[in-house]
Amino acid sequence: MQLFKISFGALLVLSFSAVHAQEENQEAYKKRVLETTEVDFLSSYYAQDGANAAVTGGIGTEELTDATGTIVISIPLNDDDVLTIDAGVSAYTSASSSNINPFDGSNAANAFQASSGASSSDLWSNINGIYSHSSTDRNKIWTAKASVSSEYDYFSVGFGGSYTWLFNEKNTELSVNGNIYLDSWKTIYPIELRPGSVYGDANYNPQFIPFDHTNRNSYAVGFGFSQILSKKLQASLALDLVQQSGLLSTPFQRIYFSDKPDVMVEDFQLADDIERLPDTRSKIAAGGRLNYYLNSRVVLRSYYRFYADDWGITSHTASLEIPIKIIDKFTLYPSYRYYTQTAADQFAGYEQHASTDEFYTSDFDLSAYDANQFGFGANYTDIFTKFHIFQFGLKSIDLKYYNYKRNTGLSSNIITAGIKFVQD
């Protein structure tokens, strides 16, 4: 009997040791969330033109060019945690912004002609840090992030986080995210409205009072739901809520009233006031995606989004992208997007506001318009990363082009490029 007790106890110890060893092995061979460091180089070139510049009260050139460069580095800290650093710089030249001060002395000032003033170009810079943690079973992911961005007249600090839960054998996904952005303006007014301005004559009596606060706060929360419906069909839904408060007007955007006399200097009309908008704004957006895998080479990616805010804007966005895998390494991305929106309650065009209005803007981004965008892209992916630069192998290259047109006359073109490297 004593021998049986000893043997039974030894069996329990051996069994426990075996189970523990198996768990340790599973832990030891747990697949990493990110196997190795990845580096993305992203760039874009954007150009637009139009004749409804908000800087000059709804008339004038909207010519603008912008070039950006961004580097994204994702670093695995251990099996479960990833740190991502995203830093970018954007340099732009803007004919409309140059007319914050149109009197450069070289040519007669005109809303449809760029000046050579200091506001004709600027540099925007941004840096984000994102920390991501995945649970051992990879069914729960939370992130925390912080960001800083700056340009000549604008500074922004942001922070936030998200939580994602996968279940039903990872066929179902729920997520929630929240972000806060604290922004501050350096108020740059049109040149004729600044203290000590010498522009105008005895008839010039603008209705202008400087802003008494220059901060803007934005609070956003979003919810997501994704479901794999079959081997070929996947659907997702998203809901976003945003609340803004503070200075929501742009200080250098002019307004011309219909009941005020026109005062001209050279060929340029002096402002009656600047844009005035409510100091709060609530936004809601709801949308969904439906992806259908037609076969091993063609996917249909559809998207719809409804947006509304308490300024009176409602909008609808619908898009379709059809990735086509030509061969294993090359995929083409033709796409189309349609957008339509109603005007904000505060919007009217050039000289359509009255000086007795409480709020007013002639920014055509807040007008009613329809827009169409056509795009085409190409992707090269090499999962074996045969091409190397030092310790990094080339994983993918992306090139995309988009042409965008509004029925208000604004048109734009953008080319984007992305190159991803992974560390050996």
Side-chain angles (χ1 to χ4, degrees), residues 216-335:
R216 171 187 298 176
N217 299 335
S218 301
Y219 310 94
V221 60
F223 304 92
F225 169 75
S226 177
Q227 177 67 48
I228 297 175
L229 299 172
S230 70
K231 290 183 178 179
K232 291 190 172 184
L233 191 62
Q234 180 182 8
S236 64
L237 298 171
L239 175 67
D240 294 294
L241 306 170
V242 178
Q243 179 67 39
Q244 292 183 295
S245 61
L247 179 55
L248 304 183
S249 306
T250 304
F252 51 75
Q253 295 188 352
R254 291 177 174 85
I255 290 295
Y256 301 116
F257 294 126
S258 58
D259 54 349
K260 291 277 190 178
D262 295 352
V263 178
M264 305 293 293
V265 173
E266 299 175 3
D267 297 326
F268 194 88
Q269 185 176 347
L270 302 186
D272 293 323
D273 198 0
I274 57 173
E275 175 184 82
R276 305 283 178 179
L277 291 168
D279 58 8
T280 63
R281 190 178 188 183
S282 300
K283 308 177 183 180
I284 182 170
R289 297 181 183 276
L290 195 63
N291 298 336
Y292 183 73
Y293 296 83
L294 198 61
N295 52 48
S296 61
R297 295 197 177 275
V298 181
V299 182
L300 305 179
R301 293 178 178 170
S302 61
Y303 173 71
Y304 170 77
R305 179 178 182 262
F306 170 77
Y307 166 90
D309 63 32
D310 60 356
W311 287 6
I313 292 178
T314 59
S315 73
H316 303 270
T317 306
S319 68
L320 179 64
E321 184 181 62
I322 308 176
I324 304 170
K325 183 172 289 188
I326 304 300
I327 58 176
D328 287 344
K329 290 184 178 180
F330 286 97
T331 304
L332 302 180
Y333 292 86
S335 65

Side-chain angles (χ1 to χ4, degrees), residues 341-367:
Q341 77 169 36
T342 61
D345 299 335
Q346 303 82 10
F347 173 81
Y350 169 70
E351 289 201 333
Q352 293 179 14
H353 284 292
S355 60
T356 53
D357 292 345
E358 181 181 8
F359 300 113
Y360 30 81
T361 177
S362 293
D363 184 348
F364 271 67
D365 285 346
L366 301 178
S367 71

Side-chain angles (χ1 to χ4, degrees), residues 27 32 57 169 212 318 329 359 371 400:
E27 185 77 18
R32 285 189 149 206
E169 297 182 346
D212 59 5
K329 290 184 178 180
F359 300 113
K400 290 185 178 177

Side-chain angles (χ1 to χ4, degrees), residues 161-209:
S162 68
Y163 181 78
T164 302
W165 178 33
L166 296 92
F167 57 99
N168 188 23
E169 297 182 346
K170 299 186 187 298
N171 288 319
T172 306
E173 178 180 316
L174 290 173
S175 64
V176 60
N177 65 79
N179 293 284
I180 296 175
Y181 295 96
L182 307 176
D183 310 334
S184 60
W185 285 93
K186 179 181 179 182
T187 47
I188 307 295
Y189 298 113
I191 187 67
E192 66 270 32
L193 300 178
R194 297 175 192 173
S197 172
V198 295
Y199 299 97
D201 54 27
N203 296 319
Y204 186 48
N205 183 28
Q207 182 175 304
F208 171 69
I209 298 173

